[in-house]
Amino acid sequence: MRVPSLLLLLALALPGCAGTPEKTTPVPAPESQAALPAGKQIGAVEVVLDRDSVPQNGIDAAERYDIPAKLQSRVTALLGARFAADGELVVHVSIGNFRLRSGGNAFWLGAMGGADMLEVSVEVVDGGTPLKHFETDTSTVLGGIAYASPTRRSARLVQSISERIVAGL
């Protein structure tokens, strides 16, 4: 009788762990920093992967899923009217940490397999003069059947961090 009860308990508990809600603990831009200069537009968004800070498996995953290019594209799109090809300001984004669980880890272990995470450092520069600097991050423990795909989870990380970057500018 103990074995069927234990199996029933596991059958009920594991899907619940795999469906744990997303962790949302943003690190916002400091409020004490001044807004960007009026009348100046952002002309470029540059994203680099800090190979000294990101573990090798994070570098491999970032390259496999083209995270720097997708992040650059998404931030540029979210900037909308604040972006102009001839703008004076440059936004430098450095990816300082990246972790993306395997599909099997996310499917079978869900939240118990740890979190996917993306941490960035952002600096806005005007002609070589730094105007603003902040760091932000995002993470998620989503998994299970709905979020087993690393492609889908990496896209959620890119979307979330892009929104936080643009909000901090």
Side-chain angles (χ1 to χ4, degrees), residues 76-142:
T76 302
L78 288 174
L79 284 169
R82 295 168 67 186
F83 182 84
D86 62 345
E88 305 88 356
L89 306 178
V90 178
V91 178
H92 295 283
V93 180
S94 177
I95 299 173
N97 196 4
F98 181 67
R99 178 178 189 247
L100 187 65
R101 297 169 292 161
S102 69
N105 180 316
F107 178 79
W108 290 108
L109 298 176
M112 293 182 291
D116 299 317
M117 70 177 122
L118 179 55
E119 298 173 0
V120 299
S121 176
V122 181
E123 184 174 53
V124 181
V125 178
D126 182 5
T129 304
L131 300 178
K132 189 171 196 175
H133 179 268
F134 64 94
E135 296 179 356
T136 188
D137 66 3
T138 188
S139 64
T140 180
V141 292
L142 291 175

Side-chain angles (χ1 to χ4, degrees), residues 44-48 65-80 83 91 93 95 158-159 161-163 165-166:
V45 176
E46 299 172 354
V47 180
V48 297
Y65 295 99
D66 204 17
I67 300 302
K70 288 178 180 176
L71 183 56
Q72 179 181 18
S73 174
R74 192 67 200 135
V75 169
T76 302
L78 288 174
L79 284 169
F83 182 84
V91 178
V93 180
I95 299 173
V158 167
Q159 177 65 30
I161 202 75
S162 297
E163 291 170 357
I165 290 169
V166 171

